[in-house]
């Protein structure tokens, strides 16, 4: 188990270095480009297999205990250690990350975005995977920061070099927002480590903030929270997200929504809730307020983009929907209750699966139509998707109803539990305030259903008043698209019908985390 976790974290970096080397003559296939893309599929596939093996070897009877641990002294002067481990909170995120990177590598093998060398693309993809996997597996604050920052450069280049229109501006906006947030976050992490004498996250969580004064906790939550909120992203620190998603290549958008956003909310759960509970209790009502505003704001922005005549971009609409969905995650965390935090973790996974699928589908639409403009998709396509590419239309309709939280699919449980948590927040929090947030969140679910059903009606059914020639057939789902999307559909259904798969892992770990390691 120790070897498997270390291998999962090291293999992407080794694979990235190997991708830059010349391909052996016997493995070139039709071209060197094909060889390096096959290399990306192989490396991410091996990592996924190792993650599955790690999951099968995980002791599911004790998910609250850190397993597959490694603890080695690294920088003695600062008491920084290479401390690795997984529990019921981090294991689902680790597995979903490995899955999404494999599916993106497989998709790129057949549909590589236009840009520079495929070698650079594969190497950047693997470095990005190393950073995201490490974020969910390290148990030292400084290592967490290094892993958290490791993803910025590869994502910047994926957007700036392989993206679409306005890619340079979007890439700069992405990196400036996240770097500024990270500088503030580093100050908060140093404040905790230097005041407590250790950067070990397990020891700090067990201490439950007893070694930190209330003022120190407040400053730490404010500093670290800003950095995590930018990455989440929380309203009003979200403005980099729509531009980055709109400009990013398809796989970049999938990974940005499915993995990178989860790093911010994971930091709230892993660091701030157990290490600075006093500071979190002070700021929780404000976090809940920002979350509730984000839920409604994201939904209203999507409704505006979906309206006929507004020239709304479907990719941008899905990006704004993430602001609303991640608002439910933040609301669950703000309740500081096991119900709310479990809901936040469930919603994290559900959002990664469903929104990853949505970005795959929007990318496929853009490839076929040459645009993601909703007016064009709805008004100039005659019978639209149901009549031109029925299987593609069915996949899009499924992803949309899953995203709006249809009971029986994964999107339902996380949002419901977050609202339940707001109904009865932790002791010391204002119940009237959180009841208000719950009501606003409930309104957000209605608005979410509204804009997603409008998208399905317009894109899948078309505009009945549009004057167009007889609809020409579109290429329906290709074999590589079916292979990349079907696992996400299956897992969305499985998690929706059997939520205990995830909750059985997260709940014991959350109970222990909120109790300071004492239960």
């Amino acid at each position: 188990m120790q070897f498997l976790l270390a291998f999962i974290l090291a293999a992407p970096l080794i694979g990235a270095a190997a991708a830059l080397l010349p391909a052996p003559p016997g493995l070139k296939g039709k071209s060197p480009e094909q060889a390096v893309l096959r290399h990306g599929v192989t490396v991410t596939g091996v990592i996924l297999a190792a993650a599955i093996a790690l999951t099968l070897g995980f002791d599911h009877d004790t998910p609250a205990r850190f397993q597959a641990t490694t603890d080695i002294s690294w920088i003695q002067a600062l008491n920084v250690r290479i401390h690795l481990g997984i529990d019921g909170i981090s294991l689902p995120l680790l597995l979903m990350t490995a899955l999404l990177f494999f599916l993106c590598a497989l998709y790129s093998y057949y549909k590589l975005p236009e840009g520079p060398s495929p070698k650079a693309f594969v190497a950047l993809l693997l470095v990005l995977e190393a950073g995201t996997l490490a974020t969910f597996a390290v148990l030292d604050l400084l290592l967490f920061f290094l892993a958290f920052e490791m993803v910025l450069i590869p994502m910047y280049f994926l957007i700036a070099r392989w993206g679409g229109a306005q890619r340079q501006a979007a890439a700069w906006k992405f990196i400036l927002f996240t770097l500024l947030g990270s500088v503030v976050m580093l100050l908060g992490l140093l404040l905790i480590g230097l005041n407590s004498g250790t950067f070990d996250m397990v020891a700090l969580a067990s201490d439950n903030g007893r070694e930190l004064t209330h003022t120190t906790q407040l400053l730490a939550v404010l500093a670290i929270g800003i950095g995590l909120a930018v990455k989440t992203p929380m309203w009003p620190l979200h403005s980099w997200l729509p531009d980055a998603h709109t400009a990013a290549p398809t796989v970049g958008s999938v990974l940005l929504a499915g993995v990178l956003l989860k790093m911010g909310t994971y930091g709230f759960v892993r660091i701030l809730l157990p290490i600075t509970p006093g500071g979190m209790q002070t700021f929780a009502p404000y976090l809940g307020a920002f979350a509730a505003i984000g839920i409604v704001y994201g939904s209203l922005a999507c409704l505006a983009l979906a309206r006929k005549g507004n020239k709304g971009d479907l990719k941008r609409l899905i990006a704004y929907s993430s602001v609303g969905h991640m608002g439910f995650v933040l609301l669950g965390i703000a309740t500081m209750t096991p119900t709310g935090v479990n809901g936040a973790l469930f919603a994290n996974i559900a959002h990664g699966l469903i929104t990853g699928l949505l970005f795959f589908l929007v990318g496929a639409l853009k490839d076929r139509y040459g645009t993601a403009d909703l007016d064009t998709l709805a008004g100039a396509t005659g019978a639209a998707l149901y009549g031109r590419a029925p299987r593609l239309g069915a996949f899009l309709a499924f992803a949309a109803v899953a995203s709006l939280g249809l009971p029986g699919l994964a999107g339902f449980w996380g949002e419901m539990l977050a609202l339940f948590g707001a109904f009865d927040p932790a002791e010391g929090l204002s119940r009237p305030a959180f009841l208000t947030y719950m009501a606003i969140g409930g309104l957000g679910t209605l608005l979410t259903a509204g804009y997603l059903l409008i998208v399905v009606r317009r894109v899948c059914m078309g505009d009945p008043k549009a004057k167009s020639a007889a609809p020409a057939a579109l290429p329906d789902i290709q074999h590589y698209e079916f292979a990349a999307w079907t696992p996400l559909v299956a897992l969305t259904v499985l998690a929706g019908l059997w939520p205990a798969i995830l909750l059985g892992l997260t709940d014991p770990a959350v109970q222990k985390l909120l109790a300071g390691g004492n239960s």
Side-chain angles (χ1 to χ4, degrees):
M1 290 283 282
Q2 285 177 307
F3 170 79
L4 272 176
L5 184 58
F7 173 79
I8 288 169
L9 302 185
L13 293 176
I14 298 171
L20 299 175
L21 299 175
L27 298 178
K28 283 186 178 180
K30 296 179 181 177
S31 69
E33 290 185 3
Q34 187 188 48
V36 73
L37 293 172
R38 189 189 303 115
H39 170 78
V41 176
T42 303
V43 173
T44 54
V46 169
I47 294 167
L48 175 59
I52 293 172
L54 186 69
T55 303
L56 294 175
F58 187 82
D59 184 358
H60 292 261
D61 292 330
T62 57
R65 178 175 61 87
F66 283 103
Q67 301 178 36
T69 54
T70 299
D71 192 2
I72 304 170
S73 179
W74 184 33
I75 305 175
Q76 291 186 356
L78 295 176
N79 197 23
V80 177
R81 308 182 67 81
I82 299 177
H83 193 181
L84 311 174
I86 53 168
D87 64 352
I89 293 172
S90 53
L91 179 62
L93 290 165
L94 192 83
L95 187 60
M96 183 181 72
T97 298
L99 172 66
L100 286 175
F101 272 94
F102 171 69
L103 298 180
C104 285
L106 180 65
Y107 187 86
S108 300
Y109 180 78
Y110 294 96
K111 195 69 179 179
L112 182 69
E114 292 184 10
S117 163
K119 283 190 173 185
F121 178 84
V122 171
L124 288 169
L125 199 68
L126 291 172
V127 172
L128 184 65
E129 182 174 22
T132 51
L133 288 170
T135 300
F136 301 129
V138 297
L139 297 174
D140 183 276
L141 290 179
L142 291 187
L143 279 183
F144 176 87
F145 177 78
L146 294 176
F148 199 84
E149 295 305 289
M150 187 176 173
V151 306
L152 299 186
I153 299 302
M155 182 53 74
Y156 167 81
F157 280 110
L158 286 175
I159 297 172
R161 303 302 296 276
W162 284 270
Q166 305 295 321
R167 59 181 181 267
Q168 292 289 347
W172 273 110
K173 197 171 185 179
F174 161 74
I175 201 162
L176 286 176
F177 263 78
T178 49
L179 275 178
L180 289 173
S182 298
V183 169
V184 180
M185 184 176 75
L186 177 60
L187 296 176
L189 295 174
L190 290 174
L191 184 66
I192 289 176
L194 296 177
N195 276 275
S196 60
T198 182
F199 290 96
D200 188 89
M201 292 158 69
V202 178
L204 289 166
S206 298
D207 186 67
N208 211 213
R210 283 183 286 271
E211 292 295 323
L212 302 173
T213 65
H214 187 64
T215 302
T216 301
Q217 290 195 36
L218 288 176
L219 292 173
V221 170
L222 184 61
I224 298 171
I226 289 173
L228 297 174
V230 170
K231 186 67 71 73
T232 298
M234 179 186 78
W235 181 91
L237 302 174
H238 68 283
S239 61
W240 62 269
L241 183 71
D243 292 338
H245 269 309
T246 305
T250 296
V251 295
S253 294
V254 171
L255 295 174
L256 192 57
V259 180
L260 266 70
L261 303 190
K262 311 302 172 282
M263 296 165 63
T265 51
Y266 175 77
F268 275 102
V269 174
R270 178 64 75 200
I271 298 173
L272 295 185
L273 280 178
I275 297 176
T276 56
M280 269 297 290
Q281 188 168 52
T282 300
F283 280 107
Y286 303 102
L287 180 62
F290 285 129
I293 294 171
I295 291 170
V296 175
Y297 171 83
S299 299
L300 292 176
C302 290
L303 280 170
L305 289 169
R307 189 176 301 141
K308 184 178 180 179
N310 281 5
K311 293 293 182 182
D313 186 284
L314 185 53
K315 210 173 182 187
R316 195 173 189 85
L317 184 148
I318 302 303
Y320 271 110
S321 77
S322 291
V323 177
H325 288 304
M326 298 310 289
F328 282 102
V329 177
L330 290 172
L331 179 60
I333 293 170
T335 67
M336 298 184 69
T337 62
T339 301
V341 176
N342 275 304
L345 295 171
F346 201 105
N348 252 349
I349 299 297
H351 179 265
L353 297 173
I354 297 168
T355 308
L357 176 61
L358 278 169
F359 276 116
F360 268 134
L361 291 163
V362 175
L365 284 175
K366 196 168 184 178
D367 290 338
R368 286 159 171 79
Y369 287 106
T371 180
D373 177 69
L374 271 167
D375 289 340
T376 302
L377 295 177
T381 57
L385 280 183
Y386 285 158
R388 306 183 76 187
R391 287 187 289 275
L392 183 57
F395 265 76
L396 181 60
F398 170 85
V401 297
S403 185
L404 63 82
L406 185 73
L409 298 176
F412 170 74
W413 295 106
E415 295 181 2
M416 184 197 71
L417 290 172
L419 294 177
F420 275 2
F423 180 76
D424 188 18
E427 186 178 351
L429 298 180
S430 170
R431 191 168 187 232
F434 276 88
L435 286 175
T436 304
Y437 305 153
M438 183 190 74
I440 295 173
L443 173 63
T445 62
L446 297 177
L447 296 175
T448 300
Y451 72 74
L452 285 167
L453 291 176
I454 290 172
V455 167
V456 171
R457 177 178 60 80
R458 298 192 68 201
V459 178
C460 294
M461 300 177 187
D463 186 347
K465 298 180 181 179
K467 295 180 180 179
S468 60
L474 274 181
D476 212 333
I477 295 179
Q478 305 296 305
H479 65 282
Y480 66 91
E481 294 172 330
F482 187 80
W485 304 343
T486 302
L488 301 178
V489 172
L491 289 173
T492 298
V493 174
L494 181 64
L497 295 177
W498 194 8
I501 292 177
L502 276 177
L503 295 175
L505 282 172
T506 61
D507 185 54
V510 167
Q511 297 278 358
K512 180 179 179 181
L513 180 129
L514 293 177
N518 296 321
S519 67

